[in-house]
Amino acid sequence: MEKGYIQVYTGNGKGKTTASLGLSVRAAGAGFKVLIAQFMKQGDYSEIKALERFSDLITVRQFGAGGWVKGKPSDKEKAQAREGYALLKEALTTGEYDVVVAEEGNLAVKYGLITLEEMLGLMEMKPEGTELIITGRYAHEEVMKKADLVSEIQPVKHYFADQGVKARVGIEK
Ligand code: ATP
Ligand code: MG
């Protein structure tokens, strides 16, 4: 890619993770190499199975301890996040990937799994030709300031909040 930008997908509405997955598939369709590093997630998300079909172009790695961080992150969650950060740093240093997705990266900062300085550092080290996508609720002001594109998805309605519909396989997970 000639010039890559930094995109942030945040807000409380549905579509942040799916937008990053959609962009990853589109990028792979153009022959781009994609790295998706998912913070705080571990397990059987349907996207992992689907993207196995594109394993020559899309790499997905999970850095969670099984389930979402509730309250204070455990040592295992912290250790996983360290690995995620290290991988992102390597990916952005080598410039091996055309598209790098820090999935739930905003939440990782929010929960202190990676520091704001580390996230800003990753944004800084992004090679010219790499697109960096950071997703997740509660994007930090500084992260949004540094990004080239910020989409804030608002829940005008959400069946989780309104009808108590939990995450469904193939639709939310
Ligand atoms: P998707 O993965 O469907 O694109 P997202 O990445 O925008 O959604 P997240 O903020 O990552 O959404 O939320 C993950 C999951 O948390 C949602 O799929 C939903 O099941 C659940 N959830 C809990 N509370 C809410 C809420 N108030 N609004 C929306 N989703 C919620
Ligand atoms: Mg998400």
Side-chain angles (χ1 to χ4, degrees):
M1 191 181 315
E2 210 167 285
K3 166 127 182 71
Y5 293 90
I6 301 178
Q7 306 189 25
V8 172
Y9 306 153
T10 192
N12 293 336
K14 174 178 168 67
K16 302 172 291 292
T17 295
T18 43
S20 70
L21 293 169
L23 182 124
S24 298
V25 169
R26 177 182 283 163
F32 289 144
K33 272 194 81 182
V34 180
L35 172 69
I36 303 174
Q38 296 192 315
F39 282 103
M40 300 165 65
K41 285 182 173 169
Q42 193 66 57
D44 241 5
Y45 287 81
S46 305
E47 58 261 35
I48 306 258
K49 291 180 202 158
L51 293 177
E52 274 169 14
R53 298 181 178 221
F54 304 103
S55 59
D56 52 332
L57 289 165
I58 305 178
T59 303
V60 190
R61 296 279 309 276
Q62 293 187 313
F63 300 96
W68 285 84
V69 173
K70 290 187 190 77
K72 251 180 104 185
S74 67
D75 287 346
K76 192 175 170 198
E77 276 157 339
K78 284 188 210 157
Q80 284 284 306
R82 284 295 91 204
E83 278 188 41
Y85 171 71
L87 179 70
L88 284 170
K89 197 169 165 184
E90 192 196 304
L92 292 169
T93 309
T94 60
E96 189 186 339
Y97 297 93
D98 301 286
V99 176
V100 173
V101 181
E103 234 275 282
E104 310 299 353
N106 293 324
L107 271 186
V109 171
K110 172 89 179 167
Y111 286 102
L113 290 167
I114 66 172
T115 66
L116 173 63
E117 287 66 33
E118 284 172 334
M119 180 57 88
L120 294 173
L122 289 173
M123 296 169 87
E124 199 66 55
M125 69 181 73
K126 180 194 87 60
E128 176 79 2
T130 298
E131 191 90 2
L132 174 62
I133 321 293
I134 305 163
T135 76
R137 294 167 189 223
Y138 315 121
H140 196 284
E141 197 59 46
E142 294 290 319
V143 170
M144 292 197 280
K145 219 194 280 175
K146 208 173 175 64
D148 301 293
L149 177 151
V150 179
S151 285
E152 184 171 15
I153 302 179
Q154 293 300 338
V156 175
K157 278 187 179 182
H158 198 302
Y159 42 59
F160 181 96
D162 307 328
Q163 301 175 47
V165 179
K166 298 253 165 66
R168 292 169 295 157
V169 172
I171 306 295
E172 274 90 26
K173 66 180 181 187

